[in-house]
Amino acid sequence: FYAVVRALNALQRADIACLVVDAGQGFLKQEARLAHNALEFGCGVLLIYNKWDLVEGREAAWKRLTAERAERYPTLGDLPAVPISATEKINLGRLPKLIFQRAEEHGRRIPTPRLNEWLAQVQKERGVPSTRGAYAPKLYYMAQTGTAPPEFTLFVNHPQRLSENYRRFLWLRLADHFDFHG
């Protein structure tokens, strides 16, 4: 209990969260809860699968671990992850670069014209759905209004008519197009 409370307090102050997972056990419910909390607090997340030296059939095990995580926790499926071994020093040299990439992504700015070009393209591919008995809301433009964590504001004539599914669709497409993962 106290470890979780300390972890939550640390997440509220952090920009980047490195969540250490036991590679032998895999990504469990507790890790998923902490990863969701980190994302809610605005942290960039990097999953670190430790004790990789104890895993047999590493390539197949890595595919299995990432597939299980994506299947059990779809919203956490795209989190960047790396297998390491602290005792055997496997992939430890990659950690600083991966953490730095997370920090860069966390503070990155996208110019408003590029965002609006992307928004127009996405609307051509899949238009804004109308709600029952009402017209479809009109999306005027989009701007980035914050970094660390990246924050975007979408200007809409009737925001209450913009369905949660379409918002989620836009967020997933934005994350994919501009390489915001985790």
Side-chain angles (χ1 to χ4, degrees):
F1 171 78
Y2 292 111
V4 172
V5 169
R6 282 195 309 265
L8 291 175
N9 286 335
L11 286 175
Q12 288 178 332
R13 297 185 315 269
D15 286 333
I16 308 298
C18 295
L19 185 58
V20 181
V21 178
D22 187 329
Q25 294 179 2
F27 195 77
L28 302 175
K29 195 176 208 177
Q30 182 67 23
E31 285 90 358
R33 195 174 301 127
L34 285 172
H36 277 294
N37 287 333
L39 292 171
E40 285 176 17
F41 291 138
C43 295
V45 178
L46 174 65
L47 297 179
I48 300 173
Y49 286 84
N50 195 18
K51 301 181 183 178
W52 195 240
D53 56 319
L54 303 177
V55 175
E56 294 181 18
R58 292 181 184 158
E59 190 172 321
W62 184 247
K63 288 179 183 176
R64 181 181 47 78
L65 284 171
T66 54
E68 282 177 5
R69 177 171 37 99
E71 184 179 316
R72 290 178 67 196
Y73 308 101
T75 57
L76 303 175
D78 72 334
L79 290 178
V82 62
I84 69 162
S85 170
T87 57
E88 298 292 323
K89 298 184 179 16
I90 298 172
N91 289 334
L92 287 182
R94 291 178 55 196
L95 282 180
K97 180 181 176 187
L98 291 170
I99 293 169
F100 183 71
Q101 285 174 343
R102 305 295 312 133
E104 274 186 335
E105 187 175 303
H106 197 62
R108 186 169 23 141
R109 258 208 179 284
I110 299 173
T112 301
R114 280 190 59 206
L115 280 172
N116 289 308
E117 288 170 11
W118 168 82
L119 183 62
Q121 182 63 36
V122 168
Q123 288 184 77
K124 284 180 188 174
E125 293 172 15
R126 182 175 169 190
V128 182
S130 60
T131 56
R132 195 177 315 157
Y135 295 105
K138 183 173 178 166
L139 307 182
Y140 293 118
Y141 70 97
M142 183 177 206
Q144 185 171 1
T145 52
T147 59
E151 186 176 292
F152 300 91
T153 302
L154 187 61
F155 293 86
V156 183
N157 64 345
H158 295 286
Q160 68 278 9
R161 291 186 188 163
L162 191 62
S163 72
E164 194 58 41
N165 287 341
Y166 197 74
R167 290 174 199 230
R168 177 101 178 119
F169 164 75
L170 287 175
W171 173 247
L172 291 174
R173 292 296 297 269
L174 177 88
D176 187 49
H177 185 80
F178 292 107
D179 292 324
F180 285 109
H181 299 288

